[in-house]
Amino acid sequence: MTMQDPGEQTRAQVLTARVAGMLEKPVVRLAIPILITLIALMVLHDLSAHVKWSDVKADIAGTSWKLMFFALCWTAFSFVSLSLYDVFAVQSVAGGKVPLPVAGMAGASGYAVSNCLGFSYITGTAIRYRIYASLGLDLARVAGVIATSWVAFWMGLILVLGILLALHPDGISRVVPISGAAETAIGVGLLVALAGLFAWLSTGGRRLSVAGMGFDLPGGRLAGLLTLAAVGDLFGASMALYVLMPNDLGVGFPYFFTIYIAAIAVGILSHAPGGIGVFEATLIAGLGASGRSDVIAALLLYRLVYTFLPFAVASLSIAVAWAMTRRQQIGGAATWVYRVIRPIVPMVAAGISALAGVILLVSGTLPTSSKALGVLREVLPLSFVEASHLLGSAVGVLLILVSRGLFRKLYRAWIVAMLLMLVGFVASLTRGLDTHEALSMLTTIALLGLFRGAFYRVSGASIFRLNIPWLVSVIALLAVVFWIGLFAYSHVDYDNALWWQFAWNGDASRFLRSSLVVAVIVGIVAVTSLFGRDVPQVTRTQIPPVVERLVMQSEDTESQISLTGDKQFLIAPDDSAFVAYADTGVALISKGEPVGDEKAGEQLIWQLREMADREGKLCAFYSVSTRYLPTFLDMGLSILKIGEVARVSLTGFSLDGKSRKRFRQAKNRAERDGYVFEIIPKEDLAPVLPELRGISDKWLSGKAGAEKGFALGGFDDAYLSYFDHAVLRDGATGRIMAFANLFQGGNKSELSLDLMRYDPESPSFVMDALFAEMMVWGADQGFRWFSLGAAPFSGIENRQLASLWNRIGGFVYEHGEQFYHFEGLRSFKQKFDPEWSPNYLASPGGLAAPRILYEVNILISGGLRGLTK
């Protein structure tokens, strides 16, 4: 065995880290799926190079209604099977907690939406999660239902592929270029493995636990039913396309099925909505059907029957149910129907908006009817028609972009979408007298108008700002639309003069100009979305007098961090309580719990949560005690332990004892060397503030980071002027060598501190001496407690059966010493034999909790860079 050169190993690690870092960059995450889509479209363009759009239209028109009926039947069969995924999964994971019709509707509608809109943002998983969560299922059970459905899909796929490989029917060897014996062996191996899984599940009582979340696995009977549902789904979906394919294609169903599954897989990787374009390119290439207009026609009809029709049926069904449950007072059976469809409405509305945009874009891409242009020529000038064409395309892309705002339930997005569809209705008539398109715009206007009550959020963020998954899907979708235009005008030779050709028969020129407008709009949105985010600028706010009064009266010294000036306030109408919070642009985060009257504080908690919901933001309460835990639980927040707070009793306090030897010696050493402890009242602080700032600046210059905020105070004259200060002077020179501002609770309940800084040139014992002097002074003044502050991640149980959050927190506490002295900090405070009390974060559950912690880090340290410093 040879040893790797350390230099080579280091270079390899650096290279690996760089590659990993590149993959995390937004531009790279955006580029990879788009590159897959563009390659697929190039392949599709090459495969259809000799096909004319007129031939495709003729093949579509020549498709018999009998074949369309068979395709519809197989589509219905597939979606019934899809609904059974959830029906059986719910019986296994959450038996009796979800009505089976609801589970079936969740499965069918979820897949109808995701098949139409793609896998990267509005997915069946998101819809089903919201439905089941609204019915009271916790995260673990919802995850169990979804995971069981996914496992069922793979069990069905393994069963079908195992049978195909074991029997290796004619044609399958063209896909799997291995010997017949190896093919049979693989197929038998898959079937044996599947049979072993069934036998294992049949013993009963099987449970799966992942990352602290567990759920019951289906028994043998339910596993068999789930597998049959998956087989029905795969068979029905593939047959819906197979019956539309031309008879002379020359491939059997086994070969076709294998290519179909591969096309779905590549479509998922592309992140294009519904895998559009990528699915078609893979299928045409795999079937060897290049240059065939009838195959392209079959694929278009399949999209209509299997993708768009189920989405339309689901949208109309949800709209009818929404209208019925919103009439007058909801009661009886309508109650759970309303609870089920309410989470789906924004997603369906987003899909309707996106689909309307696609209709406008595709219509503007394809040649206009010469008959319609002849009518328009008699009543409108050419310039008006050209402008309408550009306007229609711009409206189309804006409708696709605004769909994310509808997904987020933003009221302004609903207003803009309604106006855009109205403009789209007019453009449909004035650019090509397209009555079908105009009717579709009116239908979408009616549907969105019906859903008005679902959009109540008011946000200051741009409704056209997209995250990376949405941006990927939009760009991939528009790339497909652009290819459709290239395909429609493949018979037109490109020439620069086309850009400036304005004529009644200049469809190709209008397509080029519209594509440029669309590209410019998307480019602007992409730049604004990728670079920068709307983080409200922190400016010092004037502290209201009522806040000052309540803070100084509070017995909890932690409330005095509210005076830093970087927070906003919600104040009770009777001035009896307030809550301090910060707005990160993504979340409203309260520092601590309400201060003041407890009943008024409960109302303020709800008020902050409702305000965040209206603005489409997360809401969390950082560093809270057990006082308001019932209220946080009532509003559906998760309670996560983030550490413990240490408090030392000052009743009869002394520095005697072995554990406090260090501080006793530091105090005695300071006295021997002539250092003097002093309390400077806040009224006398102004003259010494410049000297304190000098100490603070020297102290900060030796640190890699900068001033903190939100949960910690920084050196700010206005902030420090609220507090008395403890200082340690050099008796010989009179210079202040160390200082700390004192938090003094009402009724002498508690003494604590925030800033504690020293001159780097001072002796090493000055901080310990100052700390000891403050505690002795507090005891002499009659304070009952001294708060040592929080120890992050302290006291979190890292056990096998603990929650995912506890296990992560425990791991960080045990292994994070190289980044932050978690255990050392607790050990330091433990020397005073304090009483430990839990410190919590109340936030939305699931994946929202890590996001909240990152937002808190932004407020405290300025983001990841500030934290690592």
Side-chain angles (χ1 to χ4, degrees):
M1 182 177 65
T2 59
M3 294 183 62
Q4 187 177 357
D5 178 69
E8 291 295 331
Q9 185 177 8
T10 302
R11 284 190 288 274
Q13 291 173 345
V14 170
L15 180 61
T16 303
R18 287 180 178 177
V19 172
M22 288 177 61
L23 292 175
E24 288 298 318
K25 291 182 178 180
V27 175
V28 176
R29 291 167 57 199
L30 181 69
I32 292 176
I34 290 178
L35 184 62
I36 295 174
T37 302
L38 293 179
I39 292 174
L41 290 179
M42 291 173 62
V43 172
L44 183 60
H45 189 69
D46 183 63
L47 294 175
S48 58
H50 302 292
V51 178
K52 295 182 180 180
W53 173 241
S54 57
D55 294 335
V56 175
K57 289 197 297 182
D59 287 325
I60 291 175
T63 303
S64 69
W65 286 105
K66 180 180 179 181
L67 291 180
M68 292 296 296
F69 174 75
F70 286 152
L72 285 171
C73 290
W74 284 117
T75 296
F77 182 80
S78 175
F79 272 87
V80 169
S81 300
L82 284 171
S83 69
L84 292 177
Y85 277 153
D86 284 53
V87 170
F88 297 141
V90 161
Q91 292 183 58
S92 171
V93 177
K97 293 187 176 295
V98 177
L100 296 185
V102 174
M105 194 224 37
S109 60
Y111 284 111
V113 174
S114 65
N115 286 347
C116 181
L117 302 178
F119 298 86
S120 57
Y121 49 96
I122 305 179
T123 64
T125 299
I127 289 179
R128 290 147 72 199
Y129 172 80
R130 294 194 179 189
I131 290 174
Y132 295 136
S134 71
L135 294 176
L137 264 64
D138 57 26
L139 178 61
R141 294 199 178 191
V142 174
V145 171
I146 295 172
T148 302
S149 300
W150 273 102
V151 170
F153 170 80
W154 286 105
M155 290 169 67
L157 185 60
I158 290 173
L159 177 61
V160 174
L161 289 179
I163 293 174
L164 290 178
L165 290 172
L167 301 179
H168 48 86
D170 182 51
I172 194 70
S173 58
R174 293 165 55 190
V175 188
V176 186
I178 57 177
S179 66
E183 186 180 323
T184 302
I186 294 173
V188 171
L190 290 175
L191 294 176
V192 169
L194 188 61
L197 177 61
F198 278 122
W200 182 70
L201 292 174
S202 298
T203 58
R206 298 299 183 179
R207 184 173 176 82
L208 180 65
S209 294
V210 179
M213 293 189 299
F215 54 89
D216 294 328
L217 292 174
R221 175 179 170 275
L222 276 179
L225 292 174
L226 282 163
T227 304
L228 291 177
V231 171
D233 162 35
L234 294 168
F235 188 69
S238 57
M239 282 298 297
L241 176 58
Y242 188 68
V243 297
L244 293 171
M245 284 292 176
N247 293 326
D248 61 346
L249 192 59
V251 297
F253 179 76
Y255 178 82
F256 173 85
F257 177 82
T258 308
I259 300 300
Y260 179 86
I261 295 299
I264 290 178
V266 178
I268 293 174
L269 290 176
S270 72
H271 288 283
I276 189 169
V278 181
F279 171 83
E280 285 77 6
T282 306
L283 205 65
I284 292 175
L287 295 177
S290 62
R292 296 198 56 163
S293 60
D294 50 0
V295 172
I296 294 178
L299 287 168
L300 290 175
L301 290 173
Y302 171 75
R303 283 289 180 185
L304 176 65
V305 171
Y306 193 82
T307 303
F308 297 115
L309 183 61
F311 175 75
V313 171
S315 300
L316 289 173
S317 301
I318 291 169
V320 171
W322 177 265
M324 293 177 64
T325 55
R326 297 289 291 181
R327 289 181 59 191
Q328 305 302 328
Q329 188 174 4
I330 299 175
T335 302
W336 65 262
V337 174
Y338 175 74
R339 291 173 60 191
V340 167
I341 65 175
R342 183 179 60 181
I344 309 177
V345 167
M347 300 182 184
V348 171
I352 291 171
S353 175
L355 193 56
V358 170
I359 291 173
L360 285 171
L361 286 174
V362 172
S363 175
T365 296
L366 298 176
T368 308
S369 167
S370 56
K371 182 179 179 180
L373 285 177
V375 175
L376 290 176
R377 194 169 187 171
E378 300 297 326
V379 295
L380 294 175
L382 176 61
S383 58
F384 194 88
V385 174
E386 294 282 3
S388 297
H389 200 281
L390 288 177
L391 181 62
S393 297
V395 167
V397 70
L398 289 175
L399 279 171
I400 295 174
L401 295 173
V402 83
S403 61
R404 184 172 185 251
L406 294 173
F407 177 77
R408 296 174 59 203
K409 310 174 191 175
L410 300 181
Y411 175 67
R412 288 191 299 115
W414 181 82
I415 290 290
V416 171
M418 293 288 283
L419 294 175
L420 287 173
M421 289 180 183
L422 186 60
V423 175
F425 168 75
V426 176
S428 299
L429 296 176
T430 56
R431 73 179 181 179
L433 211 61
D434 193 331
T435 54
H436 294 88
E437 182 182 308
L439 183 61
S440 69
M441 291 299 109
L442 287 180
T443 304
T444 53
I445 289 173
L447 287 174
L448 274 192
L450 184 64
F451 293 146
R452 161 66 187 89
F455 305 97
Y456 56 89
R457 289 177 171 171
V458 180
S459 173
S462 172
I463 60 175
F464 294 111
R465 174 160 288 180
L466 307 180
N467 58 18
I468 288 180
W470 281 78
L471 197 56
V472 167
S473 296
V474 168
I475 294 176
L477 177 61
L478 294 178
V480 174
V481 172
F482 181 70
W483 174 81
I484 292 174
L486 294 178
F487 172 70
Y489 302 108
S490 57
H491 62 285
V492 179
D493 294 330
Y494 175 78
D495 189 275
N496 288 332
L498 286 173
W499 291 93
W500 318 111
Q501 179 181 333
F502 297 92
W504 286 101
N505 59 349
D507 288 318
S509 298
R510 284 191 280 271
F511 157 66
L512 290 176
R513 289 190 289 269
S514 297
S515 299
L516 178 61
V517 169
V518 169
V520 169
I521 293 174
V522 174
I524 293 173
V525 170
V527 170
T528 57
S529 298
L530 287 176
F531 300 99
R533 53 172 280 188
D534 290 334
V535 179
Q537 295 297 317
V538 177
T539 57
R540 178 164 181 85
T541 58
Q542 186 68 33
I543 308 298
V546 62
V547 171
E548 296 178 355
R549 174 177 60 81
L550 291 171
V551 162
M552 295 309 175
Q553 292 174 354
S554 175
E555 295 188 356
D556 181 9
T557 55
E558 190 65 20
S559 66
Q560 297 182 31
I561 205 70
S562 302
L563 303 176
T564 51
D566 59 356
K567 302 172 183 66
Q568 303 175 56
F569 302 98
L570 280 179
I571 301 174
D574 60 355
D575 290 347
S576 62
F578 76 88
V579 62
Y581 69 95
D583 184 355
T584 70
V586 172
L588 301 184
I589 302 176
S590 165
K591 172 57 186 80
E593 52 206 19
V595 178
D597 179 72
E598 187 168 347
K599 289 295 182 182
E602 292 177 2
Q603 296 304 313
L604 290 175
I605 289 174
W606 280 103
Q607 187 177 343
L608 184 65
R609 178 71 189 274
E610 290 162 357
M611 183 169 69
D613 187 62
R614 287 194 303 271
E615 296 180 4
K617 299 173 183 175
L618 299 172
C619 180
F621 299 82
Y622 177 76
S623 187
V624 297
S625 68
T626 58
R627 183 181 182 188
Y628 289 97
L629 288 192
T631 305
F632 296 139
L633 292 172
D634 285 345
M635 62 174 57
L637 298 181
S638 296
I639 307 300
L640 307 176
K641 189 175 182 180
I642 57 176
E644 292 181 308
V645 176
R647 300 169 76 225
V648 179
S649 174
L650 294 182
T651 303
F653 176 83
S654 74
L655 292 175
D656 296 335
K658 182 179 179 180
S659 63
R660 299 173 185 176
K661 178 181 177 181
R662 165 182 170 181
F663 299 96
R664 183 173 65 250
Q665 290 179 340
K667 181 176 181 295
N668 294 336
R669 173 73 182 277
E671 290 174 351
R672 288 197 306 269
D673 290 358
Y675 285 84
V676 179
F677 175 73
E678 178 185 350
I679 298 294
I680 301 177
K682 58 186 176 183
E683 295 82 8
D684 302 331
L685 186 65
V688 299
L689 273 175
E691 185 177 2
L692 299 184
R693 180 175 288 280
I695 296 172
S696 178
D697 291 344
K698 287 182 182 179
W699 184 84
L700 278 174
S701 65
K703 308 295 179 182
E707 291 280 21
K708 301 295 188 281
F710 187 62
L712 299 169
F715 196 100
D716 178 81
D717 291 359
Y719 168 61
L720 295 180
S721 297
Y722 283 107
F723 311 107
D724 298 342
H725 279 59
V727 302
L728 198 64
R729 292 184 185 271
D730 184 341
T733 63
R735 287 175 54 202
I736 296 176
M737 306 306 293
F739 73 91
N741 65 318
L742 297 176
F743 287 171
Q744 302 177 59
N747 301 320
K748 292 189 180 294
S749 60
E750 186 177 77
L751 181 68
S752 186
L753 60 111
D754 182 22
L755 263 69
M756 189 172 179
R757 295 179 179 178
Y758 62 93
D759 190 328
E761 298 176 0
S762 62
S764 59
F765 60 79
V766 296
M767 289 301 289
D768 286 345
L770 179 60
F771 206 94
E773 292 281 10
M774 284 188 294
M775 298 186 76
V776 172
W777 178 84
D780 293 341
Q781 295 297 312
F783 285 94
R784 298 191 295 274
W785 295 94
F786 189 95
S787 175
L788 297 170
F793 295 109
S794 169
I796 297 180
E797 293 288 345
N798 183 12
R799 298 174 183 263
Q800 183 177 0
L801 298 180
S803 69
L804 173 62
W805 169 254
N806 277 30
R807 296 172 72 178
I808 292 174
F811 179 85
V812 172
Y813 179 77
E814 293 174 9
H815 304 285
E817 282 291 299
Q818 58 179 317
F819 302 107
Y820 188 89
H821 299 296
F822 296 108
E823 192 168 1
L825 181 61
R826 180 185 171 91
S827 298
F828 168 79
K829 297 178 179 182
Q830 185 61 42
K831 292 181 178 180
F832 291 96
D833 193 25
E835 292 188 12
W836 295 94
S837 57
N839 199 24
Y840 296 108
L841 168 71
S843 79
L847 298 178
R851 181 62 185 272
I852 288 293
L853 288 174
Y854 178 73
E855 297 298 319
V856 170
N857 168 54
I858 289 176
L859 294 172
I860 296 175
S861 302
L864 186 60
R865 179 176 298 179
L867 178 64
T868 54
K869 284 185 177 181

